[in-house]
Amino acid sequence: MISAASDPGFERIDEQRLRSGWGVKWGAVDPDVLPAWVADMDFGIAPPIRSALNQTLSDEDFGYPFWPDGDPVVRAFERRMQSLDWNPLPNRTRVYSDLIQVLQVMIEHATEPGDGIALHVPNYPPFLATIQRSGRRIIPIPARSEPEGWRFDEPDLEGRLEAGGCRMLLLVNPHNPTGRVFRRAELDEYARIAERLDLIVVSDEIHSDLVYAPHRHVPFASLSDDAAARTITTTSATKAFNLAGLRCAVAHIGSAEVAERLHQEPLDYFGQPSILSRVATCAAWNNSADWLAGLRRRLAANRDIVAEWVAESRHSVSWNRPEGTYLAWLDFTGTPIGDDPASALLEQARVLLSAGAEFSEHTHLGTASYARLNFATSEDVLRRLLARIDGVLDEAAGDARR
Ligand SMILES: Cc1ncc(COP(=O)(O)O)c(C=O)c1O
């Protein structure tokens, strides 16, 4: 068996290249800062993606596109979903530039101003901002940390959603930032509530290629005929294949009503992802399984490194081991930097994590004691990051004792 450490392409990263490139993760920070914030990976791309992009460049194939057999990204998506035991409906999938655009379009076409939109909190900050800006109301479903991991259940969720005028459930599965992978029984319960309250479900499955065994991703639309008919499934290759700068996403519209409304819109309303982004997405979904397997091994090994660091921490940093994603949602409560860990770590450790408070913005919930660490980097960078964090915590604890 190949160990994570011997997988080519994941062992070393090129800091120089990353700092001088277009990417915001390394480009937007000072030269002495180690970045572990935005959900981009420090690795390169899969060789089949590189070949496909190079081929397109050498063919200089950049006219307005024409797809005689249908959009190849849509076909690649449909095939991939079939491998997860779900058959997307024909002519219901469209390509978008990204998942925030998808959410904006769905909010506009499936809800009215003032409607409630339920989502788990903490959550991906641009989603909270998008709902807030749209004039709809955020109905937070709070996360609870239990000894066995993250829990989102509550005794009368159905009643609360009904009383709150909920019209849409936005499910992020696997969940950002906790890395929770929802169990089939939990999804079944959401599907039951969605049917009872006649909700549209927007299911963001962008991290679904990054699930660690024994967990398994279950597409929400695959749960039942009713779930399929009310779910908008949205995903992209950007997270698992490191293509965020190319901008390409898909959405499959299970709801006939929403599909009909979208059908009324002119094509230019949706925009058009570029040929390069489509070529890369197809190569990712059709031909890059080996690279993805190697990536998963590296990420699983990095997750173990963070787990060991948390377990051995002298400073009561805590987490629940993520079941998917390359994101570690770290709780600094009880440490001397628990008020705003990301700011303290940037200032004193020169390490940039995502600030916890952003993941509950526009809600009454507080996540300021958290910071999200992105561990999609080399072992060397990850260990340097964690050592810097330890240094700050050691010093702060020493100061507190003095
Ligand atoms: C859960 C989730 N959804 C959507 C996105 C947006 O991805 P993209 O900009 O590639 O569409 C991200 C990015 O980190 C994410 O974590």
Side-chain angles (χ1 to χ4, degrees), residues 153-377:
D153 56 323
E154 62 178 70
D156 188 23
L157 180 62
E158 181 182 327
R160 193 162 68 81
L161 299 191
E162 186 166 26
C166 186
R167 184 74 200 97
M168 177 181 279
L169 170 67
L170 170 57
L171 186 71
V172 175
N173 180 34
H175 181 247
N176 173 4
T178 64
R180 182 83 202 292
V181 174
F182 288 91
R183 313 293 189 266
R184 180 176 284 272
E186 291 171 297
L187 298 175
D188 281 339
E189 174 61 4
Y190 289 131
R192 188 194 64 74
I193 294 175
E195 182 172 3
R196 238 281 288 139
L197 303 183
D198 193 21
L199 306 181
I200 290 290
V201 179
V202 175
S203 186
D204 169 340
E205 304 184 5
I206 196 171
H207 292 280
S208 61
D209 277 320
L210 299 175
V211 168
Y212 305 103
H215 302 283
R216 222 183 132 254
H217 176 69
V218 179
F220 195 84
S222 74
L223 293 173
S224 66
D225 288 348
D226 182 81
R230 62 178 67 257
T231 300
I232 290 150
T233 303
T234 181
T235 190
S236 81
T238 56
K239 295 295 121 180
F241 296 93
N242 210 17
L243 301 171
L246 283 180
R247 320 310 290 142
C248 183
V250 297
H252 172 275
I253 315 295
S255 154
E257 207 179 309
V258 176
E260 183 47 37
R261 274 188 229 149
L262 291 181
H263 198 63
Q264 309 298 324
E265 296 289 354
L267 278 185
D268 49 33
Y269 170 84
F270 298 96
Q272 272 281 8
S274 69
I275 288 186
L276 285 176
S277 74
R278 287 172 138 106
V279 163
T281 300
C282 290
W285 282 342
N286 295 337
N287 305 319
S288 301
D290 289 348
W291 184 91
L292 181 61
L295 170 72
R296 284 206 202 101
R297 285 193 289 268
R298 176 71 264 158
L299 294 180
N302 283 1
R303 186 178 64 144
D304 288 344
I305 291 170
V306 181
E308 199 178 297
W309 175 79
V310 170
E312 291 175 0
S313 169
R314 298 173 290 276
H315 305 289
S316 70
V317 177
S318 63
W319 79 334
N320 289 308
R321 200 179 163 83
E323 300 161 349
T325 80
Y326 44 74
L327 307 169
W329 184 235
L330 302 172
D331 187 1
F332 289 82
T333 302
T335 72
I337 61 168
D339 287 349
D340 182 359
S343 296
L345 291 173
L346 178 60
E347 201 176 305
Q348 299 162 44
R350 307 304 282 155
V351 160
L352 181 57
L353 309 188
S354 299
E358 293 171 9
F359 293 77
S360 57
E361 257 175 7
H362 312 297
T363 76
H364 65 282
L365 298 168
T367 47
S369 66
Y370 287 82
R372 193 192 70 179
L373 181 147
N374 171 347
F375 56 81
T377 188

